[in-house]
């Protein structure tokens, strides 16, 4: 007997499954906000050297603010004051001829910086002067967070397969809220960096646990719907985040604002069930029976569950010992699982690198940062609705491959569009973001269907690790514009192409039962094992 047969009897997409989706949606809302948080809390306002040290109490003090800047700070090519240099002494002759600055000695900022607070009341940049020779620290905050996410994905994936989905979801909720809140009260850059690492480490458990938990409770024909809904929680969070960031322009309050939904997530966790698949795979048959009875009662199919007992449940997974402990080593022990892990890992890395490489480049096109964030988030809705129809029409594999190639096409087009066409470049970039969002939404569902139940959470943890590695690399890729302006676009274009090529080697999972054991995959190969599964006619 397969678990899908039980789900068919008790309704594999009823009120019980909707409850799980709603609870997961609440907890997942805060994730995209934290993932995009660095775009705003570490934003770099317009700034120039503090020139108050040049005020000698004489002629300088009688000048207007504009005149003071003219005699104190050199002008850049675009006509704005230099950010990191000032004149050693006031150059009063520039009041008569501001272009006569040949061989005028300059020095680094001597007394700190003055920041434009028009857009942002306070950011990490203005808080700890992360500009000029310290700008690397500013860029590092995103990478530090995603390194934490990367290691958290591996840890929570393993712990979730060992101790269960439900308890690890609560641990992720509580620890993520604790470290995120603490980071808002940081008194130094080092303290903030450490706390952001642990915030990323803890909060990533929410996405990898909740996505697997949702998929493991629904029947085959509704898996794509659940996958798209889970993905839309990111779209909803990203869209609303643009408005939150607009009205909350102090970095400390912004962190607290986007973390607060976790309070509601913790409250609603009490109604979140454990995965019956995981319970059965680990020999906890009585507990699995209890949750299945709850599901049947809520879905009003109690009559169908009367004949279900622990002996029946024991027949679902019979090919492997239940007292065995699974780990990440099981992803490389056997040949077919090893091939699967290699392929999905590369695809996740490429998808994440392209997606976040585009997402982090909010200021790269010269338009309003909030408008760009809103456009980037809004395009995900039509992209993911389209994915919903394509998943069954053309299958998971073709959808993710097509989305990656379309992403590459948009990145390639932007390489040749002139820089002064900022609106056109932004439109193309937004379309690329939509395509990359479609690939991300597909690969999460796709991967959860490829891995067997006994190591599904380990597989998703590993894939999330590879994705977060790609995310951590994305800010560094954007720094390559100092070598060549178009180099970041070229690298992201290459990543999208590579992901599409590798994704073509994955098997299709459309209308297939979820594999339960490693033996399901190894006995006849990845593709054949899925072909042997029950199809929905």
């Amino acid at each position: 007997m397969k678990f899908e047969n039980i789900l068919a009897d008790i309704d594999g997409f009823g009120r019980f499954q909707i409850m799980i989706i709603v609870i997961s949606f609440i907890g997942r809302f805060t994730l995209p906000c934290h993932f995009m948080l660095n775009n705003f809390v570490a934003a770099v306002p317009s700034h120039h050297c503090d020139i108050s040290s040049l005020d000698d109490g004489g002629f300088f003090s009688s000048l207007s603010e504009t005149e003071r800047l003219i005699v104190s700070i050199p002008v850049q090519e675009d006509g704005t004051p230099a950010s990191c240099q000032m004149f050693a002494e006031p150059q009063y002759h520039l009041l008569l001829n501001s272009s006569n600055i040949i061989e005028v000695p300059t020095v680094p900022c001597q007394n700190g910086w003055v920041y434009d607070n028009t857009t942002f009341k306070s950011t990490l940049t203005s808080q700890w002067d992360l500009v000029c020779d310290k700008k690397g620290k500013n860029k590092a905050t995103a990478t530090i967070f995603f390194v934490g996410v990367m290691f958290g994905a591996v840890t929570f994936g393993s712990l979730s397969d060992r101790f269960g989905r439900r308890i690890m979801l609560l641990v992720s909720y509580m620890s993520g809220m604790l470290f995120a809140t603490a980071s808002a009260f940081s008194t130094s850059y080092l303290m903030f960096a450490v706390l952001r690492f642990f915030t990323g480490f803890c909060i990533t458990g929410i996405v990898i646990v909740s996505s697997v938990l949702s998929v493991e409770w629904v029947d085959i024909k509704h898996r794509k719907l659940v996958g798209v809904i889970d993905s839309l929680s990111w779209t909803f969070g990203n869209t609303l985040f643009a408005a939150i960031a607009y009205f909350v322009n102090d970095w400390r309050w912004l962190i607290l604002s986007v973390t607060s939904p976790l309070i509601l997530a913790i409250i609603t966790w009490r109604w979140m069930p454990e995965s019956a698949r995981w319970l059965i795979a680990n020999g906890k048959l009585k507990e699995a029976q209890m949750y299945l009875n709850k599901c049947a009662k809520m879905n009003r199919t109690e009559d169908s569950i009367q004949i279900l007992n622990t002996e029946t449940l024991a027949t679902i997974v019979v090919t492997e010992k239940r007292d065995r402990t699974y780990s990440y080593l099981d992803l490389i022990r056997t040949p077919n699982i090893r091939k699967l892990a290699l392929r999905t890992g590369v695809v996740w890395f490429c998808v994440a690198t392209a997606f976040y490489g585009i997402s982090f480049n909010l200021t790269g096109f010269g338009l309003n940062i909030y408008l760009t964030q809103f456009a980037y988030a809004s395009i995900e809705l039509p992209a993911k609705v389209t994915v919903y129809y394509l998943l069954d029409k053309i299958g998971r594999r073709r959808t993710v491959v097509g989305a990656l190639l379309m992403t590459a096409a948009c990145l390639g087009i932007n390489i040749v569009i002139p820089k002064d066409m900022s609106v056109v470049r932004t439109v193309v970039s937004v379309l690329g973001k939509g395509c990359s969002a479609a690939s991300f939404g597909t690969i999460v569902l796709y991967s959860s269907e490829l891995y067997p139940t006994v190591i599904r959470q380990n597989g998703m943890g590993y894939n999330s690790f590879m994705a977060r590695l790609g995310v951590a690399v994305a800010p560094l890729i954007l720094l390559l514009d100092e070598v060549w302006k178009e180099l970041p676009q070229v690298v992201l274009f290459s990543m999208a192409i590579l992901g599409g090529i590798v994704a073509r080697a994955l098997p299709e999972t459309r209308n297939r039962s979820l594999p339960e054991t490693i033996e399901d995959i190894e006995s006849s190969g990845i593709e054949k094992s899925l072909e042997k599964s029950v199809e929905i006619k």
Side-chain angles (χ1 to χ4, degrees):
M1 175 183 285
K2 289 185 174 293
F3 189 79
E4 275 73 15
N5 300 128
I6 297 177
L7 283 180
D9 291 336
I10 62 175
D11 189 353
F13 194 74
R15 296 167 64 190
F16 187 80
Q17 284 75 14
I18 293 173
M19 176 190 70
I20 295 173
I21 294 170
V22 171
I23 295 174
S24 296
F25 196 96
I26 294 171
R28 289 165 66 94
F29 167 80
T30 191
L31 287 166
C33 299
H34 270 283
F35 276 44
M36 294 292 106
L37 193 63
N38 209 69
N39 283 338
F40 296 94
V41 299
V44 183
S46 299
H47 58 281
H48 59 77
C49 297
D50 184 347
I51 57 177
S52 59
S53 60
L54 298 180
D55 190 351
D56 56 5
F59 181 66
F60 187 88
S61 61
S62 66
L63 299 177
S64 67
E65 185 62 27
T66 302
E67 291 172 333
R68 290 183 184 185
L69 291 177
I70 291 174
V71 303
S72 304
I73 298 176
V75 177
Q76 302 178 110
E77 292 182 1
D78 60 1
T80 60
S83 301
C84 303
Q85 297 290 320
M86 59 184 291
F87 297 129
E89 298 291 340
Q91 305 298 311
Y92 295 115
H93 67 278
L94 295 179
L95 292 174
L96 300 175
N97 184 3
S98 60
S99 62
N100 185 22
I101 56 174
I102 300 175
E103 297 183 356
V104 175
T106 60
V107 294
C109 297
Q110 302 294 297
N111 197 37
W113 290 263
V114 174
Y115 298 92
D116 180 2
N117 295 326
T118 304
T119 303
F120 303 100
K121 180 179 178 181
S122 175
T123 68
L124 299 177
T125 308
S126 59
Q127 182 80 37
W128 293 304
D129 289 333
L130 304 181
V131 293
C132 300
D133 58 337
K134 293 182 181 178
K135 66 180 180 180
K137 289 185 177 181
N138 192 19
K139 295 291 185 182
T141 53
T143 299
I144 290 170
F145 173 79
F146 285 111
V147 168
V149 170
M150 184 170 62
F151 286 104
V154 176
T155 303
F156 276 93
S158 177
L159 293 177
S160 180
D161 268 343
R162 178 169 297 186
F163 298 108
R165 288 36 166 156
R166 186 171 184 265
I167 186 62
M168 295 315 301
L169 185 61
L170 179 62
V171 170
S172 185
Y173 282 157
M174 298 190 70
S175 58
M177 185 178 69
L178 174 65
F179 285 112
T181 302
S183 69
F185 296 94
S186 298
T187 57
S188 68
Y189 172 80
L190 179 60
M191 178 180 176
F192 179 80
V194 171
L195 290 173
R196 281 299 284 172
F197 172 86
F198 284 108
T199 300
F201 182 93
C202 297
I203 208 171
T204 189
I206 298 174
V207 62
I208 64 173
V209 175
S210 63
S211 61
V212 168
L213 190 56
S214 298
V215 167
E216 289 184 340
W217 265 110
V218 298
D219 56 25
I220 295 174
K221 67 178 181 179
H222 289 102
R223 285 206 305 257
K224 69 163 186 174
L225 176 62
V226 172
V228 171
I229 291 175
D230 274 351
S231 183
L232 285 175
S233 66
W234 287 73
T235 303
F236 178 73
N238 263 327
T239 305
L240 194 56
F241 179 51
I244 295 173
Y246 180 80
F247 290 106
V248 184
N249 54 15
D250 181 282
W251 71 270
R252 297 183 190 273
W253 284 106
L254 183 56
I255 292 176
L256 293 175
S257 298
V258 300
T259 304
S260 58
L262 286 180
I263 298 174
L264 181 58
I266 292 171
I267 294 173
T268 57
W269 170 86
R270 60 177 297 185
W271 292 286
M272 179 68 80
E274 180 57 271
S275 167
R277 288 180 187 270
W278 178 85
L279 291 169
I280 295 170
N282 286 272
K284 302 178 185 292
L285 303 181
K286 289 186 177 180
E287 194 174 349
Q289 184 182 34
M290 181 265 291
Y291 280 114
L292 288 168
N293 282 326
K294 284 185 176 181
C295 177
K297 184 177 180 180
M298 186 174 289
N299 290 347
R300 299 173 182 174
T301 55
E302 298 98 318
D303 296 340
S304 302
I305 203 74
Q306 296 301 321
I307 60 172
L308 187 62
N309 50 43
T310 55
E311 288 75 16
T312 303
L313 296 178
T315 65
I316 293 178
V317 180
V318 296
T319 54
E320 296 184 15
K321 295 181 180 179
R322 292 190 178 88
D323 58 358
R324 177 184 167 188
T325 300
Y326 295 91
S327 69
Y328 286 105
L329 292 176
D330 289 292
L331 297 177
I332 60 174
R333 279 197 177 109
T334 53
N336 288 329
I337 292 292
R338 187 162 55 242
K339 291 177 185 177
L340 176 62
L342 176 62
R343 293 169 185 172
T344 58
V346 172
V347 175
W348 275 70
F349 176 84
C350 294
V351 167
T353 302
F355 179 86
Y356 285 99
I358 297 172
S359 301
F360 290 154
N361 195 25
L362 290 184
T363 59
F365 304 103
L367 298 182
N368 182 276
I369 186 173
Y370 300 107
L371 180 60
T372 306
Q373 168 69 27
F374 181 78
Y376 274 1
S378 299
I379 193 64
E380 293 184 14
L381 179 60
K384 290 173 181 177
V385 171
T386 302
V387 163
Y388 175 76
Y389 290 100
L390 291 179
L391 287 175
D392 275 347
K393 293 293 183 181
I394 64 174
R396 278 66 160 157
R397 176 172 54 193
R398 290 181 178 177
T399 300
V400 73
V401 171
L404 281 168
L405 294 181
M406 288 294 292
T407 301
C410 291
L411 288 165
I413 291 172
N414 255 350
I415 294 174
V416 298
I417 295 179
K419 289 288 185 182
D420 57 350
M421 300 177 65
S422 58
V423 174
V424 177
R425 286 171 58 82
T426 301
V427 170
V428 174
S429 182
V430 167
L431 291 176
K433 173 68 187 308
C435 294
S436 65
S439 66
F440 220 139
T442 304
I443 196 61
V444 174
L445 171 65
Y446 192 13
S447 296
S448 67
E449 294 177 334
L450 286 168
Y451 284 90
T453 298
V454 292
I455 59 168
R456 181 169 295 119
Q457 197 70 78
N458 278 320
M460 293 301 286
Y462 154 74
N463 285 323
S464 187
F465 175 91
M466 294 299 296
R468 305 321 162 198
L469 179 60
V471 179
V473 169
L476 305 180
I477 291 176
L478 296 181
L479 291 176
L480 294 176
D481 63 352
E482 296 182 2
V483 179
W484 176 39
K485 281 294 183 182
E486 305 300 340
L487 187 54
Q489 298 288 318
V490 172
V491 174
L492 295 176
F493 167 83
S494 303
M495 289 293 101
I497 291 292
L498 175 62
I501 293 173
V502 176
R504 291 190 70 245
L506 292 171
E508 181 55 67
T509 60
R510 176 178 45 170
N511 294 336
R512 307 294 181 181
S513 298
L514 294 178
E516 302 291 353
T517 68
I518 292 176
E519 188 179 24
D520 286 345
I521 301 295
E522 295 300 328
S523 59
S524 55
I526 303 173
E527 187 75 60
K528 291 181 180 179
S529 68
L530 288 168
E531 288 176 354
K532 289 170 64 180
S533 300
V534 178
E535 286 198 41
I536 301 297
K537 301 296 184 183

